Amino acid sequence: MCRNMAEDEKEFQTVELFNFKGCNLSGIHTIKRLDQMENYDVRDSDVFIVTYPKSGTIWMQTILAHIFMDEDLKTGECKPTYREAPWLEISVKEIITDDRPSPRLFVTHLPYELIPKALKKKMGKVIYVYRNPKDVAVSFYYFHKFANYLETPENFGAFLQKFLKGQVDYDSWFNHVKNWYNHREEFNIIFQSYEEMTQDLKTAVIKFCKFLERPLDDGSINIIVEHSTFKNMKKNPKLNYERAGFPIFDPSVPGFMRKGIVGDWKTHFTVAQNEMFTKIFQEKMEDVPLKFIWEPGE
Ligand code: PPS
């Protein structure tokens, strides 16, 4: 159920979505903050991790925090990664008057249309991580059970319909990926597949270091890869978000670090759901040449 919201700030009270400039968003957001972010004062040294939800955001937070905090690498000591690379559009007040030293790291799920305008003039750097949308849908389904600010789905089939129609926080997966990709010339941007990170994380980390002009020796890169495995992130409270956001999350439900695998959709989609999804994907994404990996080892 979507509704229009008055153009003012509000507290989170409802699981209903509201529409902001054409994008469905959840009650965790405020209009005031979204407006502020469109004109955010981006520095050329800023680095933005951009993802649709459930596409590997906190994984990238961990990797980039480690790439830039290299003196902490040996001990693994760092602030929680949601402090090292805070959310642009969600109420961490410090972001408004953000005087962190450069380079500042940010994460955001904002669609192309709502991103700070300065980024579109090639200010800052963007790493856009995308994941196959069948696994995104499954991960997002469980996240709806975990996050109290999102409507608990009746069942997976009902959720999948909403996901396909963009009746979820941050709207349509298809529009998100397509619009960021189609406007790529406006940004300093690289695209990274989640699945390729699961296959060869070291190559991905080397690619990030090169793009970010942050040369690290092989030993440091190996440490980053080791700290960023699913197994190690899951047991590290500074990396796994265990301490972030309570009470907006239900601690009895698997949270941010759920399974971290490729192809979980195969145990959730019926044959009919898969056929329908594949058809819609092919229609909507035919002009987007990004490589999608649907199964392990593909
Ligand atoms: S959020 O809420 O949008 O910020 O979630 P996000 O971090 O984008 O995505 C969560 C999914 O990413 C998986 N994840 C990982 N996979 C592999 N390796 C590592 N290190 C890793 N860290 C997080 C996490 O398990 C979620 O996927 P699912 O399929 O739900 O397990």
Side-chain angles (χ1 to χ4, degrees):
M1 176 70 69
C2 303
R3 65 188 172 82
N4 288 314
M5 207 174 80
E7 294 276 311
D8 58 8
E9 186 155 12
K10 69 173 185 64
E11 295 298 318
F12 156 60
Q13 292 160 339
T14 165
V15 295
E16 286 183 9
L17 301 176
F18 67 96
N19 196 282
F20 179 73
K21 301 188 180 177
C23 178
N24 287 326
L25 291 165
S26 74
I28 201 170
H29 301 284
T30 66
I31 301 281
K32 183 176 170 188
R33 180 59 174 270
L34 292 161
D35 271 336
Q36 280 170 330
M37 288 307 101
E38 276 189 276
N39 294 305
Y40 191 65
D41 199 7
V42 176
R43 294 182 201 155
D44 203 28
S45 52
D46 288 343
V47 179
F48 287 74
I49 299 162
V50 182
T51 57
Y52 187 82
K54 314 321 292 179
S55 302
T57 326
I58 71 169
W59 194 6
M60 284 300 294
Q61 255 177 337
T62 297
I63 294 168
L64 291 206
H66 278 78
I67 286 177
F68 284 102
M69 318 300 156
D70 47 353
E71 61 286 7
D72 296 329
L73 282 176
K74 291 189 183 63
T75 57
E77 285 301 320
C78 59
K79 285 186 257 170
T81 47
Y82 48 85
R83 301 234 177 276
E84 300 281 13
W87 287 91
L88 183 68
E89 69 272 28
I90 299 175
S91 290
V92 181
K93 289 203 176 69
E94 306 88 77
I95 277 208
I96 310 297
T97 52
D98 189 350
D99 56 0
R100 284 179 293 156
S102 295
R104 301 180 302 184
L105 306 180
F106 299 90
V107 291
T108 178
H109 292 319
L110 285 176
Y112 164 79
E113 292 80 358
L114 302 183
I115 203 73
K117 291 182 190 130
L119 271 179
K120 299 178 183 174
K121 294 180 184 143
K122 292 195 189 262
M123 290 283 280
K125 288 193 160 111
V126 178
I127 301 182
Y128 187 97
V129 180
Y130 65 97
R131 184 181 189 185
N132 91 59
K134 293 179 189 171
D135 281 336
V136 170
V138 172
S139 182
F140 214 0
Y141 167 67
Y142 286 102
F143 193 70
H144 275 67
K145 297 178 179 217
F146 173 57
N148 296 332
Y149 62 91
L150 299 174
E151 190 180 45
T152 305
E154 251 170 73
N155 53 50
F156 180 67
F159 176 76
L160 194 58
Q161 288 301 333
K162 291 195 170 180
F163 179 82
L164 285 165
K165 290 180 191 151
Q167 290 172 353
V168 287
D169 198 12
Y170 294 99
D171 216 283
S172 157
W173 178 91
F174 300 98
N175 290 346
H176 202 283
V177 176
K178 275 178 82 150
N179 288 339
W180 270 99
Y181 187 78
N182 288 340
H183 290 275
R184 64 194 179 282
E185 299 298 340
E186 296 167 29
F187 299 92
N188 280 327
I189 191 168
I190 55 170
F191 289 81
Q192 174 65 47
S193 135
Y194 168 99
E195 291 78 11
E196 286 182 349
M197 284 166 63
T198 67
Q199 291 170 350
D200 183 357
L201 186 53
K202 186 166 177 180
T203 296
V205 172
I206 292 169
K207 171 175 156 185
F208 303 147
C209 288
K210 191 166 176 225
F211 175 64
L212 299 169
E213 298 171 90
R214 188 87 181 166
L216 292 181
D217 61 34
D218 200 50
S220 300
I221 288 173
N222 287 339
I223 293 172
I224 295 172
V225 170
E226 179 63 15
H227 284 178
S228 312
T229 60
F230 182 81
K231 190 169 75 90
N232 285 340
M233 279 181 61
K234 193 174 170 75
K235 64 185 181 204
N236 186 340
K238 287 184 183 160
L239 309 182
N240 66 16
Y241 267 53
E242 229 169 59
R243 294 178 193 155
F246 187 80
I248 58 170
F249 299 117
D250 178 347
S252 69
V253 175
F256 286 90
M257 305 297 300
R258 195 183 60 89
K259 281 192 180 173
I261 59 170
V262 179
D264 199 28
W265 64 271
K266 295 187 106 183
T267 58
H268 290 78
F269 281 56
T270 63
V271 172
Q273 283 167 348
N274 186 36
E275 283 172 3
M276 170 193 63
F277 198 110
T278 302
K279 189 164 174 286
I280 294 171
F281 178 88
Q282 283 166 350
E283 283 165 11
K284 290 193 186 272
M285 301 300 285
E286 66 174 352
D287 55 346
V288 178
L290 290 170
K291 181 182 172 197
F292 285 91
I293 296 172
W294 305 93
E295 301 188 27
E298 205 175 280

